[in-house]
Amino acid sequence: MSQPNAVAPAFDEYETFNFQTANVLLLEQGAAGLDILMQIFAGFGTRNCYKAMSVPEATAITHRATLDLVIVDPLLKGSDGHEYVHWLRRSGLDPNRSAPVIMMSANGAKSAVARARDAGASYYLLKPVQPKALFD
C-alpha cells in the first residue's frame, strides 16, 4: 500500500536511476560550472539539485539531505573534492555514504583517476562532460 506524500526512490526495482525523483549534490568550483550542471540535470527532469562550491557547504548539505547521486569537482577553491569524497565514504551517514559519486575533471592522467578511486569515487568523467555520459 502506497503512503500519501511518499517519494519514489531514485532506483527502481530494476536498478535504473530515476533522475526525476533523485536528490543530487553538485560540488563544483565555479558558478558557471554549476549552471551548466544544473541545466544538464534539469534536462534529465531532476527536480532536487543541491549546489555547493566548497567542501564545508557540501558537508552541511550532506548532513541535512538524503542524497542519491553526488557530482564532485576535485579541484575546489580552498579545498579538495577528494577530501569530501573520502569524508563521505567514512562518515557513517547512511544512506549518503553509499551514494554513487561521479568525479569530474579535465585531468585525465592515470594518477588523477587513481586518486579519485582511492578517495571513494564510483566513476570518473573528463570535462567537458557530455550529458549523454552522465545519463548512461
Side-chain angles (χ1 to χ4, degrees):
M1 181 171 167
S2 155
Q3 296 178 6
N5 301 326
V7 176
F11 286 95
D12 67 19
E13 61 192 274
Y14 302 106
E15 292 299 315
T16 58
F17 194 79
N18 184 341
F19 282 98
Q20 292 182 340
T21 61
N23 292 314
V24 179
L25 171 61
L26 307 173
L27 176 53
E28 169 68 39
Q29 68 175 325
L34 276 174
D35 288 343
I36 291 168
L37 288 171
M38 288 293 293
Q39 289 175 15
I40 289 171
F41 281 96
F44 295 159
T46 306
R47 296 182 211 122
N48 301 315
C49 281
Y50 299 94
K51 301 187 293 186
M53 292 176 62
S54 70
V55 171
E57 286 179 89
T59 302
I61 292 166
T62 304
H63 278 284
R64 72 174 188 264
T66 299
L67 303 173
D68 300 302
L69 178 64
V70 180
I71 308 293
V72 178
D73 182 342
L75 301 176
L76 303 167
K77 295 175 184 163
S79 56
D80 183 344
H82 298 95
E83 292 171 9
Y84 169 77
V85 176
H86 186 266
W87 168 83
L88 175 66
R89 293 299 190 223
R90 288 150 187 82
S91 69
L93 296 174
D94 287 323
N96 289 351
R97 72 178 184 162
S98 300
V101 174
I102 300 174
M103 184 101 36
M104 294 192 331
S105 175
N107 184 354
K110 286 182 183 180
S111 60
V113 176
R115 184 169 182 219
R117 178 205 60 218
D118 293 346
S122 309
Y123 304 96
Y124 192 90
L125 294 177
L126 287 176
K127 291 181 180 181
V129 68
Q130 299 296 315
K132 184 173 178 4
L134 287 168
F135 193 75
D136 290 343

